[in-house]
Structure formats: C-alpha cells, structure tokens
C-alpha cells in the first residue's frame, strides 16, 4: 500500500467517525485495575467552568474538598458548586453494598461518582485522578483543555487489608516523608499504614510518663547497621546517613529522633482524611533493648544486652513490667484511634526466663509448663488490657507459640513455616499475609520481583472451604536496617507497591496488561517525585562468553532515558560513553552500565563480564548407562557458602528436575545435584539461577553462574558455549534457615528465559 492510499484510508476513517472525539481509544493506565470497565465513545472536557455538585452535603464534604484540592491548582481556581451541564456530581447510593465500592460514569456532559460510604467515594476520586494527565500531579496550572474518556466503571476491592509497614526504629523517617507515603498509598487504594515505632535500635514515640524512652532510647551512637550503610554509600549516595537525624551531645555524634504525641496526632488526622488507618506497633516482650537500657528494672536481675540470637526481653514475671506496658499502651491508644494495636511478640530470647527464679515461681503458681506458654501468659495479659479499651491485638505469627485466643489477629511473615496459616485459621484467628518472600520490600529487587509480588497467594492453599474470609489481605514490610534515606526507601517500595496494590484490590491475573500500564504510569511516578526503581534493562547475562565476536546490547523499557557505560571498572555517570548502537565485543572486557533519568539520577548499575570461549564438546557416554533425572544429595551442613559443603551425602534421591525433595527440607541444609545436561543444539546458552540462600551452577566442571552466599531470593545469570550432546552438570545449593527459593532457567542464542525440560537431565548408573 503506497502513502497516498494510506492517507485516503485515514481520511475515510476520520470522516466515518464524524468527529475525532468519537474515535474509541484505549483505556488510560489505571493501577489497580477496576473490576469492571466499559469504554464508550467521546470525551468529557474538564475546565474551570466545570461544576462540582455534592448531592449530600453532610456525608461527602471532606471528599469533595479533597477533590477540589487536586483540581484547583491545575485549573487555576476551585470549581463552582452550581448545578448544570459539564459537572462532576458526587452521589450517595444505597444500591452499592460493599463498604469501599464505587461507581464512576463519565459521559460527554457529566461525571457521576456514586458510593455508599466516604471510603468508596474517595477511591472513585483516585480512579478519576489517574484518568487525568500525569502532569497534573505537579500542581501547576494547565492552560489548555483536559479531556477524560467516556466510560463506566464498577469497582470494589478483593481484600479489606491492603497495607504497608514502615520500620522507623532502625532508621528514622520524617513526618513529611510519612505523609508523602500516605498520599501514595491513597493513590493506589491502599488503606493501612503499620508503623513499627520501637525496637532495639530506637524508641520513636513520646511517652510522657517515661521521658527517658525518648531522651535516651531515641538516640544511639553509630551501630553496625549505620557502618554498613556508610560503606555502601561509597558507591551509592542513597545509603548516606541522613544528616537531619544526627545530633551532637557531650562531644559525641548521635543518630536518631522521635515523634511527639502532637505530631503523631496530626499524622493520624492526615491519614484519616485519606482513609488510611495507622496501626501502631510497640514490639514486646522482645526487641525492647532501647526501653530496657533506659529502664533496667524491666528485666530480671538487670540483665541487659544480647542473648544467643536476640536481645534480652522484658521479664514477664515482674508486676512492674505490666505496669510499664499498660502505661505505655494507654498513651499509645490516646494517640492512635485505630481499632488495632500491634504488640509484635516475635523473636523472643527466652533463655533468661528459664534461669529466672521469679519466672520459676510464677510458672509454678500459674501452672505454666514451658517458656513458650509463659510468653502466651504475657500476651494474654496484654491482650486483656488492650481489649478492655475496645481495641484488637495483632502479633507476628510467633504469637501462636504456646497458644493464643481466637480474637488475636495473626500477621504471617515466616513463609518457611508453612503450617502457620492453617494453624491460625483452625484456631479461628484472622490472618494478614506479610510473607518475607516476596513482601519484605527491604530486600533488593531484581527483574522478577514485580512478577513475584503480583502473583503471590494471598489465600494459601489448604485453607478449609468457608474459612477463606479469615484471610483478610496482605501488607508489604520495609525493615530499615539498610535504608537510611527516603530516596532508598522510595527505590525499594516502588514500583513493587503498585503490583501489591493490584493483587489486593483487583486480584486477577492481568499481569501482561499491568506491565504495559506500569510503563505508561511511570511518568506519573516521576511527576510525584518518587525515586522509584526503573524497570529492568534486559537482554544480557552477567557472565557472558563469545567465540570470535558478539554484540552487547540491551532492551531498554524507558526509551526516553539513556544508557551510559564504562570499560575501565569505574561506575558510569553522564560523562561516560553513551550506548547508542550494539557494541561489538572481540576481547575480554568488563562493562558497567546504567540507565539515567533525564534529571541525571542513575538507576541500577549492571556489570557484564565477557570472556572468550570455545564450544565445549559433549562427553562420550554409553547411552545404555544413562537414566532420566539428576542425583540429589542431602548434606546437613549449616554453611554460609557452597564451598564449605563437606563431602559425604547423608541421603540421595533421583529428581526429574531442580526441585527440593520434601523429605530433605529442614531448618537448614545443603544439596548437590549431579548428572548431565543434554544440549539439543550447538550455540550460546544463558542460564538464570534464582536462589535463597546461595547456589553455584557448574557445567563442564566450570562455574557458569555464581549466586553463592546468604541472601534473599535474587537471580544471577551466566553463559556457556555448548556443542550438541551431553555435558557434566552440577548445582550446589545451601539453605541457612528462613525459607528458600531455588529455580533454574535457560535461554538459547538470546531467546526468552524458560524452564529446562526434564528430558535434558540424565545421570549415569555408574556414578
């Protein structure tokens, strides 16, 4: 078809449509995606002449004011409240049953937003907000028409608990940042902010009856977490200790800070105006070193410091401890109106209780058999006090140890203890999922993180039919040991928070659509000033090989941004070499490269090592001696590196693929997979090894992928030049405790990663 024919066809299509406003366009990029959307033809023009009509003045006036606050800066003035055409109408509807549901209808002359509750109307406003141009987030006046598509949306959330936890104890965050985070949660229809206010490293909330909790407990000399961040800051300024939280006292530099009660009341009111409930956590009886250091009478015989694994906890056998706890919680409940109070109850070092004469006497008097049940005694007393004030208790899943009442909400984080959800459900407890993998957002993300978060199971398999309603939802946790700045926090939270938001609100598998919408959504994140992690560069392997020559190139999902690289080992910056075309590789070289935003901020730094390699020939084997599958040996070593696995397997089993036999799973273990991989076609193969903790892949007795050491689930890749045939294969894996991930994929000559077929794995009967 020539250019003239194309032009005539385009003009004919335009004439048939009548007006350009009648051409049907794709739906704008909404996250989370609504439950039901019908796209119409035409558009609504939003301008300073548009009216905002509130049918029920007493119910939705706060939401109307919020909408005005979004539109007034963009339009240059607030909207008139007179009725008429070209209006936004906020309507109460008792036909909408769900608490947080709404209905949004946009025609060419009117926007109608219906809800039964203020929450529902507010979430409809967030959808309307995302239909507006992304640059309205910058709050500057727009001097040209704004058009919204004609459509109809009926929407409600899949889960009631849609949360985010921020740990302000290990590293401190300003109130301004917490308010920004609340705004972002509201945009994505998240409704819970869990604040981890106290821990060993700092006490962050003013308690008037115990002033030393903040005068002493809120400040520290630099600890190992700070020194680690300082080391990381040498290559990444996002790890620099925030100077706003450093003071000098008696010639020493101290890190810390706390919130006054008035500041927190203001924060609570700010969150409430955005329908975000703030849940306070005072972690007890463990993780109390900051409090115990200020008030040593809270432990038995003034034992202060660290035990075998965790810090010495509060003594549950002294009445003055309960007086302290009730005094603190009384002030907490005056600040936070939330129906939930989180008391932690995790990672409790109980050795001191076993040695305590006070505890021995109490256990005899109360007929308490074990220290686990002694913790339950403590929890039950605290629970009684909290419930006497009309509140509900939440605890981390260790709160189940020793038994608890069914009224306690259980926050499930130890995903390696698979029995917890069923145990809690059977006991009648409500459960909130916050599994460490993938919902610990402090863990560094990789190119699979969004997919993993989007697809995790909110309701676990095995939950009895009819009990699913006890699974209330989920939240992401951000523990701040290695997060000293707001910039680093943003990087870890976003865009993963958008994937979680869609899982909890929409709860459908729309991942391909989500990926496209997220890419379109990134300019809004930019306009909001969020230092989000850029979408991943792909199309390369960290350890790469070439025969005579190859070409280095990357797939860049952000075409408006540029990739710069170095070949001398230095970190890339905007003065480095711009990658404009595929780079020819003929010599060994280490490339460091990164994507740069238009404002000069650098994204992740990637490293690729190129080395020359000959096509490895297949092994000469007697096929009669080959059997399907790999040998998998179990080694009960708790080691920090695969290099330290001792010889001599305790057990061995034949596995069809890279899986962990159920009978091999313990709290910590090591595995070796051995055999051959059958390569069907000569060429360059890339292998992708994802593991938690460490793993190393060997092909032809050479390291192909090194993903060793203790770490969360991350992917590393490497290449091998392989001829058709059988090649010696070995994979070493270690699990140090805390749950594991193990996955191996491959690609051939640059294809998309895929699972290795079972038919490729064989072992010799002679081995």
């Amino acid at each position: 078809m020539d250019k003239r024919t194309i032009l005539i066809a385009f003009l004919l299509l335009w004439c048939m449509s009548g007006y350009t406003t009648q051409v049907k366009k794709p739906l704008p990029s909404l996250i989370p995606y609504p439950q039901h959307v019908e796209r119409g033809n035409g558009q609504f023009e939003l301008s300073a002449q548009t009216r905002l009509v509130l049918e029920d003045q007493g119910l939705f006036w706060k939401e109307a004011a919020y909408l005005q606050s979004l539109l007034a800066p963009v339009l240059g003035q607030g909207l008139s409240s007179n009725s008429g055409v070209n209006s936004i109408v906020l309507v109460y509807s008792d036909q909408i049953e769900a608490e947080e549901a709404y209905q949004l209808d946009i025609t060419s002359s009117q926007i109608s937003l219906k809800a039964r509750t203020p929450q529902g109307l507010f979430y409809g406003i967030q959808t309307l907000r995302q239909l507006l141009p992304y640059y309205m987030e910058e709050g500057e006046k727009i001097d040209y028409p704004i058009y919204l598509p004609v459509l109809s949306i009926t929407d409600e959330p899949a889960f009631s608990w849609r949360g985010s936890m921020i740990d302000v104890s290990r590293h401190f965050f300003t109130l301004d940042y917490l308010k920004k985070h609340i705004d972002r949660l509201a945009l994505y229809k998240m409704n819970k902010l869990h604040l981890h206010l106290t821990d060993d490293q700092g006490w962050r909330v003013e308690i008037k009856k115990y002033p030393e909790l903040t005068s002493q407990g809120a400040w520290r000399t630099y600890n190992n977490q700070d020194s680690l961040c300082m080391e990381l800051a040498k290559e990444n300024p996002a790890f620099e200790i925030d100077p706003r939280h450093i003071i000098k006292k008696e010639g020493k530099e101290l890190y810390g800070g706390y919130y006054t009660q008035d500041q927190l009341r203001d924060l609570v009111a700010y969150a409430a105006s955005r329908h975000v409930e703030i849940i306070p956590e005072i972690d007890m009886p463990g993780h109390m070193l900051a409090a115990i250091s200020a008030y040593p009478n809270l432990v038995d015989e003034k034992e202060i410091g660290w035990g075998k694994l965790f810090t010495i906890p509060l003594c549950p056998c002294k009445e003055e401890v309960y007086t302290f706890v009730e005094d603190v919680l009384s002030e907490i409940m005056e600040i936070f109106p939330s129906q939930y109070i989180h008391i932690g109850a995790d990672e409790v070092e109980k050795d001191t209780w076993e040695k305590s004469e006070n505890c021995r006497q109490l256990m005899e008097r109360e007929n308490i058999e074990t220290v686990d049940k002694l913790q339950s005694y403590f929890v039950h007393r605290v629970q009684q006090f909290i419930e006497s004030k009309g509140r509900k208790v939440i605890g981390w899943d260790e709160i189940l140890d020793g038994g608890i009442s069914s009224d306690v909400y259980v926050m499930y984080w130890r995903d390696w203890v698979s029995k917890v959800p069923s145990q809690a459900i059977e006991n009648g407890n409500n459960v909130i999922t916050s599994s460490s993998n993938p919902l610990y957002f402090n863990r560094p993300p990789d190119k699979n993180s969004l997919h993993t978060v989007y697809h995790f199971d909110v309701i676990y398999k095995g939950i009895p039919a009819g009990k699913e309603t006890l699974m209330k939802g989920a939240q992401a946790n951000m523990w701040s040991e290695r997060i000293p700045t707001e910039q680093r926090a943003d990087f870890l939270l976003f865009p993963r928070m958008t994937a979680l938001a869609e899982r909890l609100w929409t709860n459908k598998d729309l991942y391909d659509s989500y990926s496209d919408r997220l890419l379109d959504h990134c300019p809004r994140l930019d306009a909001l000033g969020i230092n989000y992690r850029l979408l991943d560069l792909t199309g390369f392997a960290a350890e790469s090989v070439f025969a005579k020559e190859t070409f280095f190139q990357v797939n860049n999902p952000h075409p408006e941004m540029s990739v710069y690289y170095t070949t001398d080992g230095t970190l890339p910056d905007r003065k480095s070499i711009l990658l404009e075309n595929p780079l020819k590789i003929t010599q060994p070289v280490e490339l460091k490269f990164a994507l740069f935003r238009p404002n000069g901020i650098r994204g992740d730094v990637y490293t690729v090592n190129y080395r020359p390699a000959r096509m490895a020939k297949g092994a000469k084997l007697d096929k009669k001696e080959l059997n399907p599958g790999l040998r998998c040996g179990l080694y009960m070593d708790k080691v920090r590196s695969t290099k330290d696995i001792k010889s001599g397997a305790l057990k061995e089993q034949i596995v069809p693929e890279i899986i962990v036999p159920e009978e091999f799973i313990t709290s910590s273990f090591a595995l070796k997979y051995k055999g051959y991989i059958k390569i069907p076609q000569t060429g360059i193969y890339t292998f992708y090894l994802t593991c938690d903790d460490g793993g190393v892949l060997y092909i032809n007795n050479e390291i192909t992928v090194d993903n060793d050491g203790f770490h969360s689930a991350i992917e590393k890749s490497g290449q091998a030049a392989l001829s058709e045939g059988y090649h010696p294969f070995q994979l070493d894996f270690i699990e140090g405790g805390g749950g594991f991930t193990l996955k191996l994929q491959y690609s051939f000559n640059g294809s998309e990663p895929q699972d290795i077929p079972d038919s490729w794995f064989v072992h010799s009967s002679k081995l």
Side-chain angles (χ1 to χ4, degrees), residues 173-187:
F173 295 95
T174 65
L175 285 163
D176 283 345
Y177 182 74
L178 293 181
K179 287 182 177 180
K180 287 179 183 177
H181 188 60
I182 288 167
D183 284 333
R184 296 161 185 177
L185 293 179
L187 175 61

Side-chain angles (χ1 to χ4, degrees), residues 490-509:
D490 273 5
F491 177 87
L492 294 170
L493 289 168
F494 291 93
R496 280 188 285 189
M497 193 64 74
T498 67
L500 177 61
E502 184 148 313
R503 167 54 65 215
L504 295 176
W505 183 278
T506 314
N507 198 34
K508 298 176 182 177
D509 190 357

Side-chain angles (χ1 to χ4, degrees), residues 105 115 261 437 474 513 715:
D105 294 293
Q261 293 192 6
N437 182 21
S513 164
E715 178 187 278

